[in-house]
């Protein structure tokens, strides 16, 4: 039986989630704040954690970072009302594996729980977008099973764009994520985007690297016949 932990301070929502997961044969413990959640994690074995961001005593981002610093590779799904790109990136930076914005369909939550519970976070580190696959352990990327020739900087740039997909990431956010405080001039970003595009164009695929005027860049999966 799948065993998960829900850390959520909204008791009505928590009750709904716990009840629904149990219908799906998923055993779910509940903690109403981050410190209580940490206590349960240290005493029990869970296959994955559902974690709210806004909580008393210890927020979700802090709890997630704390678990990763302790070397725990439990898969984590962030659950939050914050839907801005900045918050999404903060969640992934803290070490979360997936992200679900409130309000959400309970069936989607169950589907994501079932997928994450089957893997360890540190064991399988792979991002997939359409024909594109990134192995975060090997720092390698494949497009339709063909290896892309990417520098470490280009790989990091691609990772930032794929994690945010389909939303656009500003030039400043990319520069900060890739280079941190030691940022080169903006021409470096242009050069890396150019080389990344060349690599993505080596195969006919459903991946598009778009320049979003006045914003930055976005990588998207192009689906035939879909409305853009």
């Amino acid at each position: 039986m799948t065993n998960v932990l829900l850390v959520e301070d909204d008791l009505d929502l928590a009750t709904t989630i716990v009840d629904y997961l149990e219908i799906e044969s998923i055993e779910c413990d509940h903690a109403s704040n981050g410190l209580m959640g940490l206590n349960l994690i240290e005493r029990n074995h869970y296959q994955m954690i559902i974690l709210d961001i806004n909580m008393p005593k210890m927020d979700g981002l802090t709890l997630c970072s704390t678990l990763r610093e302790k070397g725990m590779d439990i898969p984590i799904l962030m659950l939050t009302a914050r839907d801005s790109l900045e918050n999404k990136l903060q969640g992934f930076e803290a070490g979360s594996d997936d992200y679900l914005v409130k309000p959400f369909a309970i069936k989607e939550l169950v589907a994501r729980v079932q997928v994450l519970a089957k893997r360890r976070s540190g064991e399988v580190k792979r991002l997939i977008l359409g024909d594109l696959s990134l192995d975060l352990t090997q720092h390698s990327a494949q497009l339709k099973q063909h290896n892309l020739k990417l520098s470490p900087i280009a790989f990091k740039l691609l990772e930032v764009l794929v994690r945010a997909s389909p939303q656009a990431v500003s030039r400043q956010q990319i520069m900060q994520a890739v280079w941190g405080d030691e940022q080169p001039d903006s021409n470096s970003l242009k050069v890396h985007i150019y080389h990344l595009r060349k690599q993505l164009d080596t195969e006919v695929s459903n991946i598009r690297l778009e320049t979003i005027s006045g914003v930055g860049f976005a990588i998207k999966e192009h689906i035939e016949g879909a409305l853009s």
Side-chain angles (χ1 to χ4, degrees):
M1 186 160 179
T2 304
N3 185 25
V4 308
L5 173 66
L6 170 66
V7 190
E8 166 64 68
D9 65 331
D10 181 333
L11 296 183
D12 289 340
L13 177 60
T15 302
T16 302
I17 292 172
V18 170
D19 288 349
Y20 200 93
L21 289 177
E22 287 184 350
I23 291 169
E24 298 288 328
S25 299
I26 298 168
E27 200 173 283
C28 184
D29 287 349
H30 171 243
S32 58
N33 64 63
L35 282 178
M36 192 189 294
L38 183 59
N39 194 9
L40 283 171
I41 292 160
E42 287 173 342
R43 288 189 292 131
N44 302 296
H45 171 77
Y46 297 106
Q47 284 159 282
M48 64 89 58
I49 300 165
I50 306 164
L51 194 54
D52 185 34
I53 285 187
N54 280 330
M55 287 186 299
K57 296 189 180 176
M58 182 188 282
D59 65 73
L61 292 173
T62 305
L63 176 54
C64 186
S65 297
T66 301
L67 296 177
R68 295 305 182 231
E69 282 162 15
K70 288 173 176 283
M72 293 187 182
D73 63 353
I74 305 167
I76 295 172
L77 170 69
M78 286 284 193
L79 205 62
T80 179
R82 301 179 182 181
D83 62 349
S84 77
L85 175 61
E86 193 63 43
N87 293 134
K88 210 174 180 183
L89 292 173
Q90 281 177 342
F92 286 129
E93 213 171 273
S96 74
D97 297 271
D98 204 354
Y99 201 97
L100 198 54
V101 177
K102 300 173 186 176
F104 53 85
I106 199 85
K107 284 186 178 178
E108 184 180 1
L109 174 65
V110 171
R112 293 192 188 206
V113 166
Q114 287 168 336
V115 168
L116 282 174
K118 288 175 187 170
R119 71 165 199 250
R120 303 304 288 173
S121 183
E123 217 169 76
V124 181
K125 280 226 166 183
R126 191 173 289 275
L127 296 175
I128 296 171
L129 178 69
D131 294 332
L132 181 64
S133 171
L134 274 66
D135 185 323
L136 302 181
T137 307
Q138 300 295 323
H139 287 257
S140 62
Q142 289 188 321
L143 189 63
K144 282 191 160 180
Q145 310 303 314
H146 290 88
N147 287 323
L148 298 179
K149 294 173 183 173
L150 300 175
S151 67
I153 291 287
F155 180 84
K156 181 66 180 170
L157 171 56
L158 183 59
E159 181 189 341
V160 169
L161 290 170
V162 170
R163 284 192 186 279
S165 180
Q167 290 176 286
V169 189
S170 73
R171 288 170 175 80
Q172 190 50 46
Q173 283 174 322
I174 293 172
M175 298 279 281
Q176 185 62 40
V178 174
W179 285 284
D181 295 329
E182 302 292 320
Q183 294 179 14
D185 61 53
S186 58
N187 278 337
S188 291
L189 180 56
K190 286 180 190 170
V191 170
H192 283 292
I193 289 285
Y194 172 77
H195 285 299
L196 187 52
R197 273 210 175 96
K198 271 185 80 172
Q199 282 295 304
L200 293 172
D201 288 344
T202 56
E203 294 289 325
V204 177
S205 75
N206 59 7
I207 297 299
R208 303 283 182 273
L209 175 51
E210 300 176 4
T211 301
I212 311 298
S213 183
V215 182
F217 303 94
I219 199 160
K220 299 179 182 179
E221 179 185 2
H222 178 74
I223 301 167
E224 286 296 327
L227 296 173
S228 56

